[in-house]
Amino acid sequence: TPLSGGDKLMEPMAIRLTGNYKFSIIVTQVGAGHWQKAPLAKSLVVIPGNRLDLKGTPITIFITYCIRMFMATKIILEKFKDISFLYSSTNILPDVLPAFFAKLRFPKTIWIARVHHLIPPPGKREGKFIVNLVSYLMQSLALFMIKRKADIIISLNERLKDELLNRGFPESKLEVL
């Protein structure tokens, strides 16, 4: 339910861009208020909430993620057929999967993917094993998609960039924020 750090960072980055850009932002209801106040030319597409949004159990979070991935992918593929740039604000699967399918459908689109942290393997992380396993697998899939199709990969810091390089990410695509 909280606004992601990627959304918080995107606004000042977007404001600093020069040129006559118009942003189309696909966001959940949680992030809509933040983006409505952002001082830049934009249109918002708000993914409606569902009854599971605030339940907070691992299963309802997973189902909500699946719903959001489906809805965001559908919105991008149906509404935005002429995309110049696409930015995924985090490396969690609900942000990455729609961008990945958009890149497949619109290969000339430049996909900028932000990687903010890496989830440790399930045995090296505190918490419920099954939750850690699903999180790790979802992130592994997201990282695979980013590595294969993103044009620019923004790493949060140098240490994370080094970790991505060790995982086979191409240095030519990596930038540090």
Side-chain angles (χ1 to χ4, degrees):
T1 56
L3 185 66
S4 78
D7 282 328
K8 291 176 185 174
L9 286 172
M10 179 56 195
E11 180 189 344
M13 289 190 315
I15 291 169
R16 287 184 180 95
L17 288 173
T18 58
N20 199 15
Y21 295 105
K22 182 176 183 234
F23 295 89
S24 297
I25 302 165
I26 301 171
V27 66
T28 63
Q29 288 178 326
V30 171
H34 169 83
W35 282 106
Q36 286 167 340
K37 297 174 192 168
L40 58 121
K42 68 201 172 284
S43 64
L44 288 183
V45 179
V46 180
I47 295 174
N50 65 64
R51 290 181 284 176
L52 302 176
D53 274 349
L54 300 176
K55 297 288 185 203
T57 67
I59 292 172
T60 58
I61 291 170
F62 179 76
I63 293 169
T64 295
Y65 277 0
C66 290
I67 292 168
R68 288 180 185 168
M69 287 185 283
F70 173 78
M71 293 178 80
T73 301
K74 185 176 181 203
I75 289 165
I76 292 170
L77 297 180
E78 289 179 358
K79 285 189 161 197
F80 303 106
K81 297 181 192 290
D82 187 25
I83 304 169
S84 299
F85 297 94
L86 187 62
Y87 173 74
S88 49
S89 63
T90 73
N91 55 291
I92 65 168
L93 195 58
D95 290 342
V96 171
L97 185 126
F100 177 78
F101 280 119
K103 181 67 177 179
L104 290 176
R105 177 89 178 266
F106 310 113
K108 292 183 181 179
T109 297
I110 297 172
W111 176 19
I112 304 166
R114 181 172 172 271
V115 178
H116 61 290
H117 78 282
L118 298 177
I119 296 172
K124 295 183 178 181
R125 186 175 179 206
E126 289 184 28
K128 294 181 180 179
F129 180 80
I130 189 68
V131 172
N132 292 342
L133 177 63
V134 171
S135 298
Y136 182 77
L137 292 174
M138 287 176 67
Q139 185 180 59
S140 295
L141 180 58
L143 292 172
F144 173 82
M145 292 174 174
I146 290 169
K147 186 193 302 187
R148 295 290 182 256
K149 290 295 178 183
D151 298 288
I152 300 169
I153 303 163
I154 299 174
S155 166
L156 187 61
N157 55 47
E158 289 289 340
R159 185 182 60 77
L160 182 55
K161 178 182 177 182
D162 290 341
E163 289 181 49
L164 294 172
L165 288 170
N166 288 336
R167 290 180 178 217
F169 280 72
E171 186 168 15
S172 62
K173 292 182 177 185
L174 282 165
E175 299 289 337
V176 176
L177 180 61

